[in-house]
Amino acid sequence: MRHRAALVAGSLALALAGVVTAPAAQGTTPGEWQAFEGSWSVSGRRSSVPAEGGTTAAVVEVSGAVVLTTAGGLGRGFRGEAVGFDDGQGVSLGRAVWTDEHGDRLFSRLKGEPLETGRRIVGTITGGTGRYAGLEGEYSFTWKYLLSAEDGVIQGRAVRLQGRARRNTATP
């Protein structure tokens, strides 16, 4: 169960990473979707407690470099940070923030669902600051577990991180 909790929590953090690239953040017409792909390798910590039914609930805090690309080949790098919670009963929730080289931030809400080979994470872009103000969107990825040590240290990466974002038409 500890392994599962680590996968879930790490997944949440990773999902947040691949949200928006420079073209989506700047210069696109309001309402126009911009597709993106990305990668995020993270490391962090997991803390857990026993839960009823022999399961384990866990909280994960991870960070790492996020690299996004668009169909046009333009890319952007971020420092991605995320926190996640797995209740040990199949519910995984989290929040993430990606910060670019100018200090502008992009925020996401995460939700995980069980998969046979990992945990699928679905993210909802909820806005941002600076160049990312007024953005909305969605993305998904599968968490790939790389290391989970007994001391709570975890490492992982996002697999098939893909999504889309647009400037909210209601935002000036």
Side-chain angles (χ1 to χ4, degrees), residues 106-157:
L106 184 63
F107 303 104
S108 296
R109 185 173 45 241
L110 304 171
K111 185 172 183 179
E113 50 192 59
L115 279 182
E116 208 172 285
T117 60
R119 185 154 302 250
R120 179 175 167 79
I121 303 298
V122 176
T124 302
I125 299 167
T126 59
T129 64
R131 69 177 69 189
Y132 309 111
L135 287 182
E136 62 184 6
E138 56 204 25
Y139 56 91
S140 65
F141 65 90
T142 300
W143 166 251
K144 174 71 174 171
Y145 172 78
L146 300 175
L147 171 71
S148 179
E150 288 300 316
D151 63 358
V153 173
I154 61 170
Q155 292 181 1
R157 67 182 176 93

Side-chain angles (χ1 to χ4, degrees), residues 1 4-5 8 49-58 85-93 112-114 119:
M1 284 300 155
R4 185 174 156 262
V8 172
V49 297
E52 68 279 358
T55 63
T56 303
F85 173 72
D86 179 355
D87 74 350
Q89 302 293 313
V91 174
S92 300
L93 301 171
E113 50 192 59
R119 185 154 302 250

Side-chain angles (χ1 to χ4, degrees), residues 22-38:
Q26 302 176 25
T28 55
T29 305
E32 179 183 335
W33 288 105
Q34 176 71 45
F36 61 85
E37 294 182 346

Side-chain angles (χ1 to χ4, degrees), residues 16-98:
L16 303 176
V19 176
V20 180
T21 61
Q26 302 176 25
T28 55
T29 305
E32 179 183 335
W33 288 105
Q34 176 71 45
F36 61 85
E37 294 182 346
S39 65
W40 191 18
S41 295
V42 301
S43 63
R45 297 199 58 82
R46 175 184 50 89
S47 300
S48 61
V49 297
E52 68 279 358
T55 63
T56 303
V59 174
V60 175
E61 183 177 358
V62 296
S63 64
V66 176
V67 178
L68 302 177
T69 59
T70 65
L74 298 174
R76 176 156 307 279
F78 294 89
R79 172 170 171 71
E81 301 172 86
V83 294
F85 173 72
D86 179 355
D87 74 350
Q89 302 293 313
V91 174
S92 300
L93 301 171
R95 287 291 197 151
V97 60
W98 302 272

